[in-house]
Amino acid sequence: MLFRSMMNYALLYLSNYVLRNFMLDTSITYSASFALPEASRLAGIWHGTRLHTGIFVAIGAVIVSWLFLYHTPTGLSIRICGMNAEFSKYSGIHVVASCMIAQILGGALAGMGGAVQILGLYDRFQWDSLTQYGFDGLLVSVLAKRNPILVPVAAFLLAYLRIGADIVNYSTDVPAEFVSVLQAIIILLVAAQEFLGRYKHKAIFNAARKSMDEAPAKEAN
């Protein structure tokens, strides 16, 4: 986690360097790139909302990710490594290679998501601070239980909570931080389920081992 946080800041400063030295539009009063060509923008598909054609890119990414993870040998290796690295090692799976492939593909999907975000909602690149979208993605992954097909459902739930929090904040006396409490509760419940599931599997394994150790003694008697 520390290494990931350091990489986030390294890439942030690198993007700021590229923006200010190669892409900066000096005709405006804030730090942003030149205006994006109109032909490169993603068209809106629902008037009065921010929904645009990037939704089809997202749907395509979900389908391709699901097919890759559940219908290819490499995807199977990645899933097994994610569930149990030690078991993967003893099964002959190259854990380091699987993790590297997962990181590269995850980075490509994140870059694609950033491109869709910029081309669909903004007319310039102007980010000069961390957006924390990576942590949102981690939360969505936890809610979706690492299943790509469930990612849109989990993302919609998170978006519903965030937008609902903003509406409740300016229409009632309930603070927007209330949604952070809900997110924390959801994460704790999911994490508790994962922990109890592993404890259950470990108990079953120990019981099976004990039964196998006692079997020869019973046969001898």
Side-chain angles (χ1 to χ4, degrees):
M1 184 64 73
L2 178 60
F3 176 76
R4 184 182 303 171
S5 178
M6 292 173 61
M7 285 299 298
N8 287 341
Y9 281 101
L11 293 175
L12 170 65
Y13 294 139
L14 177 61
S15 64
N16 283 338
Y17 174 81
V18 173
L19 171 63
R20 293 171 182 172
N21 290 275
F22 302 100
M23 302 168 55
L24 186 64
D25 186 356
T26 57
S27 64
I28 56 178
T29 57
Y30 57 94
S31 179
S33 68
F34 292 99
L36 298 171
E38 191 63 31
S40 67
R41 302 286 306 282
L42 296 175
I45 58 177
W46 195 338
H47 182 69
T49 69
R50 305 178 75 186
L51 189 64
H52 53 78
T53 51
I55 187 68
F56 301 113
V57 179
I59 293 173
V62 167
I63 295 174
V64 171
S65 298
W66 179 77
L67 290 174
F68 173 75
L69 287 175
Y70 288 89
H71 291 82
T72 65
T74 305
L76 176 62
S77 300
I78 291 174
R79 288 193 295 117
I80 294 176
C81 288
M83 290 185 289
N84 193 324
E86 292 297 324
F87 176 79
S88 304
K89 185 191 304 181
Y90 290 115
S91 299
I93 297 174
H94 201 299
V95 177
V96 175
S98 297
C99 291
M100 289 297 297
I101 293 173
Q103 290 289 332
I104 292 171
L105 294 179
L109 288 173
M112 185 186 302
V116 168
Q117 176 83 352
I118 295 295
L119 297 178
L121 301 179
Y122 305 96
D123 59 350
R124 301 170 185 268
F125 178 81
Q126 55 184 3
W127 295 107
D128 55 2
S129 61
L130 294 177
T131 60
Q132 307 301 326
Y133 289 154
F135 292 100
D136 290 343
L138 181 61
L139 176 58
V140 169
S141 175
V142 170
L143 293 176
K145 295 187 176 180
R146 301 179 294 275
N147 187 343
I149 296 298
L150 297 179
V151 165
V153 179
F156 180 81
L157 173 63
L158 181 61
Y160 184 82
L161 288 174
R162 294 281 175 83
I163 299 300
D166 292 337
I167 295 175
V168 169
N169 186 38
Y170 65 73
S171 61
T172 66
D173 295 332
V174 178
E177 288 74 14
F178 181 70
V179 71
S180 299
V181 178
L182 290 178
Q183 289 180 191
I185 293 174
I186 292 172
I187 293 174
L188 287 175
L189 291 176
V190 175
Q193 182 182 10
E194 291 285 339
F195 173 77
L196 292 177
R198 292 183 180 180
Y199 179 78
K200 178 181 178 181
H201 291 315
K202 185 176 180 180
I204 293 174
F205 175 79
N206 291 333
R209 173 183 286 179
K210 183 178 180 181
S211 177
M212 291 177 63
D213 292 339
E214 293 177 351
K218 291 182 180 180
E219 292 177 359
N221 294 332

